[in-house]
Amino acid sequence: MTNQQPLRDRALAFRSLHVPGRPLVLPNAWDAMSARLTEDAGAAAVATTSAGLAWALGAADGDRLERGRALDAVARIAATVRVPVSADIESGYADDPAGVADTVRAVLAAGAVGVNIEDALYEEGSGPLRPVGEQAERIAAAREAADAQGVPLFVNARIDTFLRGAGDVDATLERAAAFRAAGADGIFVPGAVDPGTVKVLADGVDGPLNILVGPGAPPVAELAALGVARISTGSALAEAAHAVVRRAARELLDAGTYGALAGGLAYGELNALLAQGS
């Protein structure tokens, strides 16, 4: 077996960043440049957005991207930055727990030390969420695969009760307890931003709570005071970047002007960021 010590060290460093009241703030990246820019801005770690990454690879989000393509992109990101990297692996890019274990081994080989695993289902005719017991088995498989490699991978269990209108706080906490018992390290509840709800979740979850933010969400300081341990932007940065592309393209094609391009980063600055690691 290859020496896993550097990976273990990064995993331990990433794990230590999840502190209630002093949250890890993650402006999620989708390619090598966005990851490098995030690191340069001062981020203590880089986490991918599955949506942004899928879009960059020409696929739609929602379990439509092939595992190999996704993890090739994760490997490029991990090779570009020095900080720990966590990979959003959607539902695990697999049909069963054994496949999730294979994905986790590939994640570690790519150089990432954390994963998000969601409980949403996207197949036509399925329910909005995977049954609790079935999802717990998938999380347990991820935990066991990482432990067998000797790497304390941070397994962040995403619960989509709020995002998909599939449950309330009690249902979320029930799932959280089951997923923590199965080996999840943290709990991610996108769609929950109301301060009262966030406080109940932070108090009720036995482990670090991750909240998804964007326009209209409480500021980082307020979420920290509520006991949140991790704050993510998800696909919001990618959405904002793509909005600039659309505005600039439409202005150029319709008006023949270039105002939307003002304020862009200089070629030399962007090139230098990647040249530093090459």
Side-chain angles (χ1 to χ4, degrees):
M1 180 183 294
T2 58
N3 179 18
Q4 294 284 61
Q5 191 59 49
L7 206 59
R8 282 195 290 269
D9 291 344
R10 287 200 297 276
L12 289 170
F14 183 62
R15 182 177 292 271
S16 72
L17 297 171
H18 295 76
V19 181
R22 290 192 292 111
L24 169 62
V25 180
L26 296 168
N28 296 79
W30 61 93
D31 61 8
M33 179 57 83
S34 58
R36 185 68 187 86
L37 285 166
T38 298
E39 179 186 42
D40 188 64
V46 167
T48 65
T49 156
S50 67
L53 191 148
W55 298 335
L57 295 175
D61 189 32
D63 284 338
R64 294 178 175 89
L65 185 60
E66 190 270 331
R67 174 170 60 197
R69 295 182 67 209
L71 294 184
D72 283 347
V74 171
R76 284 193 293 275
I77 289 170
T80 301
V81 299
R82 294 181 175 85
V83 296
V85 172
S86 181
D88 185 337
I89 59 171
E90 302 191 48
S91 297
Y93 300 126
D95 294 329
D96 55 24
V100 174
D102 288 339
T103 297
V104 164
R105 285 187 282 269
V107 165
L108 296 175
V113 293
V115 291
N116 280 9
I117 305 177
E118 65 187 66
D119 62 358
L121 285 169
Y122 297 96
E123 294 179 6
E124 187 175 349
S126 69
L129 302 182
R130 199 178 296 276
V132 174
E134 185 179 325
Q135 182 67 2
E137 290 178 359
R138 296 167 73 86
I139 289 169
R143 173 82 282 140
E144 291 165 9
D147 290 350
Q149 296 287 317
V151 179
L153 179 80
F154 192 97
V155 178
N156 203 31
R158 177 174 138 177
I159 301 175
D160 277 1
T161 42
F162 284 86
L163 200 61
R164 307 198 73 183
D168 56 11
V169 169
D170 289 340
T172 303
L173 291 176
E174 179 184 347
R175 283 180 169 262
F179 299 163
R180 282 281 289 149
D185 297 290
I187 299 297
F188 181 24
V189 187
V193 292
D194 172 75
T197 300
V198 171
K199 177 62 175 171
V200 172
L201 290 172
D203 290 345
V205 169
D206 177 24
L209 176 66
N210 183 184
I211 293 297
L212 182 70
V213 298
V220 168
E222 183 176 347
L223 292 172
L226 294 172
V228 174
R230 176 167 166 173
I231 296 171
S232 308
T233 58
S235 60
L237 279 179
E239 291 164 6
H242 297 323
V244 173
V245 174
R246 172 179 278 181
R247 284 196 302 272
R250 285 182 170 171
E251 180 188 357
L252 177 63
L253 295 171
D254 295 343
T257 54
Y258 329 108
L261 297 175
L265 293 174
Y267 167 90
E269 182 179 357
L270 290 170
N271 210 45
L273 280 174
L274 291 184
Q276 290 170 10
S278 62

